[in-house]
Amino acid sequence: MEDSQLSVIPETQQDEEQIDNEIATIRAQIKSLAQRRSLLTSALLTSKSSQSLLDRAELTTSASSTLKTRSQDQAKHDQQRLYRMCAGATMFEARDPDPHAVDNGRILGIRIEAFSRGKFLTPYYLLLNRPHTDSQALRVHRHTAPSCIPLSALVSKYLPTPPPAAAGTTPSKPTKPQNLPRLVRELRREIVSYHLRKDAIEKLRDGLVGADGGVSDVKATDAELRDIRIEWTDEAVGRARIGKDGTVEKVVVVGEGGRSREMERKLLGGDRRVEGLAERLGDVEKLS
């Protein structure tokens, strides 16, 4: 009995690592199957034929009632997701709990949606208030936009606030009218562009590092994710400048023999999109 129990105990560290890898693979398969089951359930519950059967069926059992409830919940969830995808930015009203807040604590909130690899990210929020009782001018109260987003420049351009007035006088008007819709559109464009560059760099790293092309590392060197550094195993280094629209603006590749103009031209070829950079790198021979 003791010998049989000892026989299943791993004898080497390699055996333990193999078992750990098998467990991780099984867990990944379980997660994938659970996601597939959820997807198929959602598709079944929201299909027209299922809805028609549920509408005609008599809810005489608890199972039928539960199925109908789940179908309604799924329909509401799908409607919310569709609204989030199509709207991009929504407005809501809130109240500042501070008893000394301006404008009796009234807050105008903007919720900005962003996606990454087919999934919703945590929404970004822009909160505004009216600091002057005699003016309708808005001012940014709080926000959750990434620090690399030039929000201050956008606010100065599209949401200028009037200068403070002296006591007992009416606040002056802004030098130019405020344009909140334009501010929201530009801010969302900056946020979406930021996440698209982030996804592109991650995909570039996943597709190149460890592959046959000899790339050892791919990383961004600035907070805006517009400067990319590519390192090869032969110590060659490349730098790429990415525009806000996702195009590769500039490329410099330096190896042991100096700059590689041919590689630079090929990396700037095609549609010049950063998403195709890995494919273009695959067509170029490794630097010697």
Side-chain angles (χ1 to χ4, degrees):
M1 182 66 179
E2 293 180 357
D3 294 339
S4 63
Q5 290 177 344
L6 291 175
S7 63
V8 299
I9 299 177
E11 297 180 354
T12 65
Q13 185 178 1
Q14 184 177 2
D15 294 335
E16 293 179 356
E17 292 179 353
Q18 182 178 358
I19 293 175
D20 291 339
N21 292 334
E22 291 176 355
I23 293 174
T25 301
I26 293 173
R27 287 177 175 172
Q29 292 175 350
I30 293 173
K31 182 179 180 180
S32 176
L33 290 173
Q35 292 175 344
R36 179 170 175 78
R37 182 185 65 179
S38 177
L39 177 62
L40 294 175
T41 302
S42 301
L44 180 63
L45 288 174
T46 55
S47 65
K48 291 184 178 180
S49 57
S50 298
Q51 290 293 325
S52 179
L53 289 173
L54 288 173
D55 291 338
R56 294 197 305 266
E58 296 182 1
L59 304 181
T60 56
T61 64
S62 59
S64 299
S65 179
T66 301
L67 185 61
K68 182 68 174 179
T69 302
R70 288 192 60 183
S71 175
Q72 294 173 347
D73 292 342
Q74 183 63 43
K76 293 178 182 179
H77 179 66
D78 290 346
Q79 184 179 18
Q80 181 185 17
R81 292 179 60 187
L82 180 63
Y83 186 74
R84 291 179 67 183
M85 277 193 302
C86 296
T90 53
M91 300 175 64
F92 62 92
E93 293 182 352
R95 184 167 292 276
D96 191 338
D98 185 356
H100 304 290
V102 299
D103 197 20
N104 294 323
R106 285 190 288 266
I107 296 291
L108 176 63
I110 308 293
R111 182 189 298 106
I112 299 176
E113 303 286 355
F115 306 88
S116 177
R117 300 194 176 190
K119 295 182 179 180
F120 288 106
L121 299 174
T122 301
Y124 293 96
Y125 293 94
L126 181 67
L127 304 180
L128 307 108
N129 59 16
R130 290 191 173 98
H132 306 295
T133 57
D134 298 330
S135 173
Q136 296 297 312
L138 294 169
R139 179 189 64 180
V140 175
H141 177 56
R142 295 283 190 275
H143 71 88
T144 62
S147 58
C148 61
I149 301 297
L151 179 59
S152 298
L154 294 176
V155 169
S156 299
K157 184 175 182 180
Y158 300 112
L159 206 71
T161 56
T169 62
T170 303
S172 57
K173 295 181 179 180
T175 55
K176 61 180 180 179
Q178 295 188 331
N179 193 338
L180 180 59
R182 184 66 183 275
L183 170 65
V184 174
R185 286 198 300 270
E186 294 299 328
L187 177 58
R188 185 174 186 272
R189 182 179 289 112
E190 291 281 351
I191 291 175
V192 171
S193 176
Y194 168 80
H195 282 288
L196 288 177
R197 294 195 300 272
K198 183 178 180 181
D199 290 346
I201 294 173
E202 291 177 354
K203 291 179 181 178
L204 193 63
R205 184 186 301 113
D206 295 340
L208 292 177
V209 176
D212 297 334
V215 176
S216 60
D217 192 18
V218 176
K219 60 184 178 182
T221 59
D222 68 321
E224 291 185 84
L225 307 182
R226 296 190 59 188
D227 293 320
I228 301 178
R229 177 183 174 91
I230 304 173
E231 299 178 359
W232 281 265
T233 54
D234 59 0
E235 297 184 356
V237 176
R239 289 183 176 273
R241 177 68 173 176
I242 311 301
K244 290 187 177 182
D245 60 350
T247 58
V248 181
E249 297 178 343
K250 297 179 182 179
V251 174
V252 176
V253 181
V254 180
E256 293 182 356
R259 289 186 63 175
S260 176
R261 303 286 184 177
E262 181 181 359
M263 176 174 278
E264 292 174 3
R265 286 194 299 269
K266 289 184 178 181
L267 293 181
L268 286 172
D271 59 2
R272 300 186 67 165
R273 296 290 303 175
V274 64
E275 294 86 354
L277 196 59
E279 183 178 354
R280 296 195 293 275
L281 272 172
D283 297 335
V284 182
E285 294 183 357
K286 179 183 173 183
L287 290 177
S288 57

